[in-house]
Amino acid sequence: MPARQQLSAFSTTAQLYAKEGAAAAKPLPYKPRLPRNSAQPPKPHPRFRISSRVYYSGTAIFALVIGTYTASLYKSYNAAIAESATLNISEADDLIARYDEQADGWDREVNTMEAFLGVNRLRRRLVERAQGEVLEVSTGTGRNAVYYAKVLDGIKSVTWVDRSSGMMKEGRKVWEELYPSFEPVTFLTQDASAPLPETSVPRNGYDTIFQTFGLCSMRDPVGLLHNLEKVCNKDDGQILLLEHGRSHYGLANKIIDNLAKIHAYRWGCWWNRDIGRIVEESGLEVVKMERFHLGTTWMIELRPRKVVESGKGEEPQGS
């Protein structure tokens, strides 16, 4: 090839490469994201920047609020201990009047606390195990009634027992509003530690007996469990308890012991009872035991003994 033609070819090739380079050098339609340097963390968005003055001021205010609240609790606690020391009451006293006096406002007093602690969930777990002939003891204002709905088809009859006429009145209204067409239901205002009317006890005993927060208000909790055993179906009956009592921890027990008298005076129950010891003394078979809230809430499944010891029980009522 002549030199002039070679030069022309090289010139044409160079122009083509120059055009391609210019096209490649055009700005991109977006801004590329560069890799972050781990040694230099990104700066916070200006909107979320907090000055050191605001941070320390907020921390100081929070600490002040918590400190004031703690001091208030401690002051109230000491005042309650002092008041409790002046009360002349014991576990042998009948405090049923506390329930009669507070029946119409009971739910308003306990709703928030039970919801916060998840007690409603525990109530549901207990009630939804009900089947066959059902006996509920210490029914109160009917706080468990709403949980029957899911299992009502598997229930043959329901018997409610409570010592407080005021509580029973409130509870009966709740039941009749929820289940107006459910007819095999009986309401008994009496101490469940005493024999139940023979006409209300099924021939083979109750298939499910349960109680929520009742042992704390009974003068003879062991005697109550013996009486429940008598009316429970001996073959496959179950006794289910949800109770409050002593904790796993010594400090918690000290607190509830110090406040036991004033709590009983105001609410009618002794919240520091040893539920485990009461169950053990009853002699009933423990199938399962769970504890919640530092061990102060007890959920227990019991079964009646096949052969009841002499002096502690008899054949099931109604048999």
Side-chain angles (χ1 to χ4, degrees):
M1 179 182 294
R4 180 175 293 179
Q5 291 182 356
Q6 286 184 347
L7 182 61
S8 176
F10 285 135
S11 176
T12 302
T13 303
Q15 289 177 5
L16 291 174
Y17 278 121
K19 288 181 180 180
E20 290 179 0
K26 288 182 179 180
L28 297 174
Y30 62 90
K31 185 177 182 181
R33 179 178 295 178
L34 299 176
R36 293 179 177 177
N37 187 349
S38 58
Q40 297 180 353
K43 296 181 180 181
H45 193 282
R47 181 182 298 179
F48 301 106
R49 288 178 181 172
I50 301 176
S51 69
S52 59
R53 178 179 298 178
V54 173
Y55 174 79
Y56 289 115
S57 297
T59 302
I61 293 172
F62 178 77
L64 178 62
V65 171
I66 294 298
T68 302
Y69 179 68
T70 303
S72 176
L73 285 180
Y74 185 71
K75 183 178 179 180
S76 299
Y77 172 66
N78 285 332
I81 292 176
E83 183 179 353
S84 185
T86 66
L87 299 175
N88 185 25
I89 60 173
S90 71
E91 295 189 40
D93 295 331
D94 188 357
L95 302 176
I96 195 63
R98 300 293 184 273
Y99 294 97
D100 290 332
E101 294 165 359
Q102 303 179 78
D104 59 349
W106 185 270
D107 290 337
R108 291 193 300 273
E109 295 289 338
V110 302
N111 274 339
T112 302
M113 184 58 69
E114 287 204 354
F116 176 74
L117 294 175
V119 173
N120 295 334
R121 175 178 54 84
L122 299 178
R123 288 180 181 273
R124 180 186 294 108
R125 280 182 56 188
L126 202 75
V127 178
E128 289 184 352
R129 296 189 57 187
Q131 59 182 351
E133 311 284 0
V134 176
L135 169 64
E136 182 179 349
V137 180
S138 302
T139 54
T141 58
R143 296 186 63 78
N144 295 324
V146 65
Y147 306 121
Y148 279 80
K150 190 174 180 179
V151 293
L152 201 61
D153 290 342
I155 293 177
K156 296 179 182 178
S157 71
V158 173
T159 301
W160 272 18
V161 180
D162 198 285
R163 290 197 304 146
S164 167
S165 58
M167 288 288 194
M168 180 58 76
K169 179 182 177 181
E170 297 297 321
R172 183 167 185 167
K173 286 192 299 185
V174 171
W175 179 275
E176 292 177 345
E177 288 176 2
L178 289 172
Y179 315 110
S181 60
F182 188 86
E183 295 183 357
V185 58
T186 303
F187 302 97
L188 301 175
T189 303
Q190 69 161 79
D191 188 341
S193 299
L196 301 179
E198 292 187 3
T199 54
S200 68
V201 180
R203 178 175 178 79
N204 295 320
Y206 292 100
D207 301 302
T208 305
I209 300 175
F210 67 91
Q211 175 177 255
T212 54
F213 306 111
L215 290 181
C216 58
S217 62
M218 298 292 175
R219 285 181 291 179
D220 182 12
V222 175
L224 168 70
L225 292 181
H226 287 160
N227 201 47
L228 298 183
E229 181 181 37
K230 294 177 188 177
V231 297
C232 189
N233 186 322
K234 291 296 186 292
D235 294 327
D236 54 5
Q238 56 181 348
I239 300 174
L240 309 174
L241 305 176
L242 180 61
E243 306 288 349
H244 53 197
R246 300 192 71 73
S247 169
H248 290 303
Y249 305 101
L251 178 59
N253 286 330
K254 182 177 180 180
I255 292 173
I256 61 178
D257 284 342
N258 287 340
L259 301 177
K261 278 190 175 182
I262 193 168
H263 186 82
Y265 180 77
R266 292 177 178 174
W267 297 101
C269 78
W270 296 91
W271 66 351
N272 63 335
R273 284 181 170 171
D274 189 336
I275 303 301
R277 181 185 59 78
I278 292 171
V279 169
E280 182 180 2
E281 289 183 8
S282 74
L284 275 72
E285 177 186 349
V286 178
V287 178
K288 187 177 182 180
M289 181 181 294
E290 298 177 75
R291 297 175 72 177
F292 310 89
H293 310 132
L294 302 180
T296 59
T297 302
W298 303 60
M299 180 177 281
I300 307 171
E301 178 184 351
L302 304 173
R303 286 179 184 163
R305 292 163 288 182
K306 298 298 182 181
V307 179
V308 182
E309 298 175 11
S310 176
K312 290 189 177 181
E314 303 170 1
E315 290 300 312
Q317 275 183 253
S319 60

